[in-house]
Amino acid sequence: MTTSTKVRNRVLGLMAFGLLATTALTANFMVTPSLPVHAETNQQVAPQAGFADLAAKVMPAVISVEVNFANVADNSDDNDDEDMGRGMPNLPQDSPFRDFFNQFPQFRDQFPQGAPRQPRGGVAQGSGFVITADGYAVTNNHVVGKADKVSVTFSDGQKYDAKVIGTDPKTDLALIKIEGGKSFNYVKFSDKEPRVGDWVMAVGNPFGLGGTVTSGIISARGRDIGSGPYDDFLQIDASINKGNSGGPAFNLDGEVIGINTAIYSPSGGSVGIGFAIPAATAKEVVESLRTNGAVTRGWLGVQIQPVTDDIAEGLGLTEKKGALVADVTEKSPALAAGIKTGDTIVKVGSDEVSDPRDLAKKVARYTPGKSVEVTIVRDGKTMQIPVELGKMPGDDQAANTKPSEPERTGLAELGVRLAPAEDGAGVKVIDVKPGSSADQRGIRPGDVILEVAGREVHEPADVKSALASVKGKRIVMLVRSGDNQRFVALPGNEG
């Protein structure tokens, strides 16, 4: 026997032993009712016996959520096939799955992940998990947010009605209460910081099939998928499909580390990129829903943007971090406290602010009426400003402006033609030269330049004067586009 053959046989023998060991060590355990269910694994390493022990312990607390809707408007494309406009889109006309989903419609009327379409009426399904012995359970807002009736089914087949206690569309979370009049198995949220590479096990109700277990790892943290202002998703590669919405992702201790909410998929099925709301976010929201039936968040009242390298240089900042105040809302806590346009917010309380999204999350965690010290950088100097946070209001309507015929003036150096703004606040951009420095930085006709190098401008001549005063340095302009304001940095030698 050759050396290579011996080595191959030895490797195959080791593989066979590993498979046998996995089979031999797998076992199931009973779960004591009314107690938190968790595994006794203390290390985040893949269990040699697989995930069977963990699944047996946590599955009694995971529920399938069935939702009944009255007739509501359908947002699907009018060109979609009637039978495939929901559930499983983009199937070829000759696909054999078309016949399957036509014969078994219960497998296609599921909520799509991420941006769900509401069904015309009838039944939809999702997932959830129980967090208290008396039947409080967590799921997604997009699963139950517009439901007329909610019922849940456990892994043993027991079915109960449930009522919606409260929902939070901004984080896509919902709290329901199971009306069983009994004591339920439940799971706890994890207090541990999730790490990229940690093992996770997802449990849910994909395509209405009932309790289904998949496993994977945390692929990334802090994902912003554009679903809301507080996006901070865990990305996991455990298979997540339609119907998994609201189901838990567990760590190896049997604690919930995330709530499965969305997938990235060109086809509608799992491609190994799923997104889960972190337990730290869910705990705060769920507690507020349970206590108040709604979520109230602190409000600062500023419009903010990231600090780029150019802007940091132009404002004299030593680091590219924090959130730059592009505008301060009227009658806001920020305005009352003295925060100004051009300030850079670098801390809220003792917590450093890395970027605008981080600022929004940190402020939202405070209770309205709470006084907090906000650290800003203004004109190169660091200062602390106490702010009494308000309650986040609805969107304000933009103020109307009165049109007038401006006196047009050219400004070739910047690549724009300017005129006084109709309301007297700033200088309006009449035209932008293609390829100019203004065009490259996103300035468009109709924008209004409010400040140049920290100086208010009201006439085109003011812009020229301000540009000339800082030639050779980075020039930062405050520009209003519609209802929004932002800072734009230009190299001084282009001004």
Side-chain angles (χ1 to χ4, degrees):
M1 181 181 295
T2 65
T3 300
S4 61
T5 302
K6 291 179 179 179
V7 171
R8 185 185 65 178
N9 289 343
R10 183 179 181 185
V11 171
L12 291 174
L14 289 172
M15 292 175 63
F17 171 78
L19 292 172
L20 289 171
T22 298
T23 303
L25 293 174
T26 300
N28 293 324
F29 296 90
M30 297 297 294
V31 180
T32 303
S34 304
L35 294 175
V37 290
H38 58 86
E40 296 180 1
T41 306
N42 294 320
Q43 296 182 354
Q44 285 290 321
V45 294
Q48 292 182 351
F51 294 86
D53 292 348
L54 178 59
K57 287 179 177 292
V58 300
M59 283 191 71
V62 181
I63 53 177
S64 297
V65 181
E66 187 174 276
V67 182
N68 290 83
F69 291 90
N71 290 334
V72 294
D74 185 271
N75 298 322
S76 61
D77 192 330
D78 291 339
N79 294 324
D80 286 347
D81 289 348
E82 180 68 15
D83 62 329
M84 297 306 297
R86 296 164 287 160
M88 287 290 290
N90 302 324
L91 287 177
Q93 291 291 336
D94 58 350
S95 171
F97 288 103
R98 281 183 171 269
D99 292 335
F100 173 82
F101 284 104
N102 283 333
Q103 293 176 31
F104 303 97
Q106 69 269 28
F107 293 145
R108 62 179 168 85
D109 290 337
Q110 313 299 325
F111 271 100
Q113 299 289 331
R117 293 171 178 158
Q118 301 290 0
R120 293 179 176 87
V123 178
Q125 292 173 321
S127 304
F129 55 97
V130 183
I131 59 169
T132 65
D134 57 349
Y136 282 97
V138 177
T139 185
N140 280 143
N141 169 69
H142 80 251
V143 172
V144 300
K146 296 182 179 180
D148 292 298
K149 182 181 179 182
V150 179
S151 60
V152 303
T153 304
F154 285 84
S155 58
D156 61 1
Q158 293 294 312
K159 188 171 183 177
Y160 302 91
D161 290 334
K163 64 179 180 180
V164 178
I165 300 300
T167 64
D168 181 40
K170 285 185 169 63
T171 56
D172 198 11
L173 287 167
L175 182 68
I176 62 176
K177 177 71 164 59
I178 303 171
E179 299 175 322
K182 60 168 286 186
S183 188
F184 297 96
N185 292 291
Y186 64 97
V187 289
K188 289 184 175 181
F189 287 114
S190 174
D191 291 323
K192 297 178 181 178
E193 189 77 8
R195 302 177 303 165
V196 173
D198 278 350
W199 283 97
V200 294
M201 185 183 77
V203 186
N205 181 33
F207 301 110
L209 292 170
T212 299
V213 175
T214 57
S215 67
I217 62 170
I218 297 175
S219 303
R221 294 178 53 188
R223 290 298 198 208
D224 181 357
I225 63 175
S227 69
Y230 308 114
D231 280 13
D232 187 27
F233 288 98
L234 300 175
Q235 181 182 324
I236 64 176
D237 67 354
S239 292
I240 304 297
N241 286 288
K242 296 164 186 173
N244 274 108
S245 284
F250 292 102
N251 61 20
L252 295 186
D253 295 323
E255 299 169 333
V256 177
I257 58 101
I259 295 91
N260 302 319
T261 297
I263 61 172
Y264 172 80
S265 175
S267 64
S270 174
V271 294
I273 301 179
F275 301 100
I277 301 166
T281 300
K283 280 191 294 186
E284 295 175 357
V285 172
V286 167
E287 182 58 32
S288 185
L289 292 175
R290 186 177 177 183
T291 304
N292 306 313
V295 178
T296 55
R297 295 182 169 91
W299 177 57
L300 186 59
V302 291
Q303 188 179 116
I304 49 180
Q305 70 178 77
V307 178
T308 64
D309 289 324
D310 288 347
I311 287 176
E313 182 180 342
L315 294 178
L317 301 175
T318 57
E319 295 181 83
K320 189 187 73 172
K321 70 174 186 178
L324 179 61
V325 178
D327 197 11
V328 181
T329 305
E330 292 185 7
K331 300 179 180 179
S332 67
L335 184 64
I339 293 177
K340 298 179 179 179
T341 299
D343 291 346
T344 303
I345 300 174
V346 294
K347 276 187 179 181
V348 176
S350 59
D351 297 324
E352 292 192 355
V353 173
S354 58
D355 53 40
R357 187 159 59 102
D358 190 37
L359 173 64
K361 289 188 296 183
K362 284 182 167 59
V363 171
R365 288 174 181 169
Y366 285 92
T367 304
K370 174 80 172 180
S371 182
V372 61
E373 194 171 75
V374 176
T375 303
I376 66 166
V377 178
R378 179 185 295 168
D379 299 328
K381 298 178 181 179
T382 302
M383 60 183 71
Q384 287 77 38
I385 299 178
V387 182
E388 184 176 324
L389 298 176
K391 181 179 179 180
M392 187 174 295
D395 295 332
D396 294 329
Q397 297 297 320
N400 293 324
T401 59
K402 297 180 180 179
S404 61
E405 184 62 30
E407 178 185 353
R408 301 190 177 191
T409 304
L411 194 67
E413 298 93 333
L414 190 60
V416 295
R417 295 175 63 194
L418 304 176
E422 291 89 343
D423 60 359
V427 179
K428 187 173 183 178
V429 178
I430 303 300
D431 191 26
V432 180
K433 181 181 178 181
S436 65
S437 57
D439 180 46
Q440 292 172 3
R441 286 157 181 82
I443 296 176
R444 298 291 179 261
D447 289 351
V448 176
I449 300 173
L450 301 173
E451 294 181 6
V452 177
R455 294 163 53 178
E456 290 186 1
V457 294
H458 303 281
E459 302 285 342
D462 296 339
V463 178
K464 287 185 178 182
S465 175
L467 291 173
S469 69
V470 291
K471 195 164 185 177
K473 301 178 182 179
R474 292 282 180 184
I475 301 168
V476 177
M477 299 194 308
L478 179 62
V479 179
R480 185 176 69 215
S481 301
D483 296 333
N484 299 316
Q485 293 182 185
R486 72 187 191 281
F487 283 94
V488 177
L490 294 167
N493 57 13
E494 293 188 21

